[in-house]
Amino acid sequence: RVRERVCEREKGNMVEVTSFILRWLYLSKMIRNVAEIQTLPYQPHAHHYQPYQHFQHDPEAVWRDQSLRGILSYPPGTQRLYAMDALRIELVQQLARRLRECDSIMKTTILNSDSAEPKSTLN
């Protein structure tokens, strides 16, 4: 039973790690195309808009859309580059925080399962 709970948590972590990798690759591709990003129009209030209707059921598409809108809310130049870097740093911090939480849960689950098992005594 404990292993089932641990496996369920591990599946959730796999999804989060996969999401992190997809988002990281998206931002990395954006940074590789920095010249193109700098030519996109400045939209100071773009990050306040709701995601497009067809993105509603795809969290990754919503995240990409909001990220791009957030970046475009800065004028071309250094500020836009800082915005992209800030998104990457935020991703890493979110993943690190989640991994620490998972480690803590795993340790607690393992400790609780170890203390619940009867111990044999040797004569």
Side-chain angles (χ1 to χ4, degrees):
R1 181 140 174 98
V2 171
R3 285 186 180 159
E4 290 173 7
R5 284 184 281 169
V6 170
C7 288
E8 287 174 18
R9 288 186 181 125
E10 287 176 359
K11 287 178 189 175
N13 294 338
M14 291 291 289
V15 170
E16 288 185 27
V17 170
T18 302
S19 175
F20 167 81
I21 292 170
L22 290 172
R23 291 174 180 187
W24 183 266
L25 290 173
Y26 175 77
L27 290 173
S28 295
K29 181 180 176 186
M30 195 180 296
I31 288 171
R32 278 196 314 272
N33 298 325
V34 72
E36 183 180 336
I37 293 296
Q38 295 292 11
T39 62
L40 294 175
Y42 171 50
Q43 299 173 2
H45 303 292
H47 61 283
H48 295 296
Y49 296 117
Q50 292 296 320
Y52 293 116
Q53 192 68 10
H54 60 280
F55 289 164
Q56 295 291 331
H57 301 290
D58 183 358
E60 289 306 309
V62 169
W63 183 87
R64 287 190 304 269
D65 182 60
Q66 289 175 342
S67 297
L68 183 58
R69 288 172 187 264
I71 290 166
L72 295 180
S73 70
Y74 292 92
T78 306
Q79 289 181 335
R80 213 172 257 189
L81 296 176
Y82 286 151
M84 288 191 288
D85 281 343
L87 279 172
R88 289 176 15 148
I89 291 168
E90 183 181 325
L91 275 178
V92 171
Q93 289 172 339
Q94 287 173 356
L95 181 64
R97 187 171 39 255
R98 183 64 182 137
L99 290 175
R100 280 192 303 272
E101 290 170 4
C102 292
D103 283 346
S104 175
I105 291 168
M106 295 285 286
K107 286 176 187 174
T108 303
T109 303
I110 290 169
L111 287 174
N112 289 341
S113 69
D114 286 345
S115 64
E117 293 178 11
K119 296 183 178 168
S120 63
T121 57
L122 298 174
N123 296 334

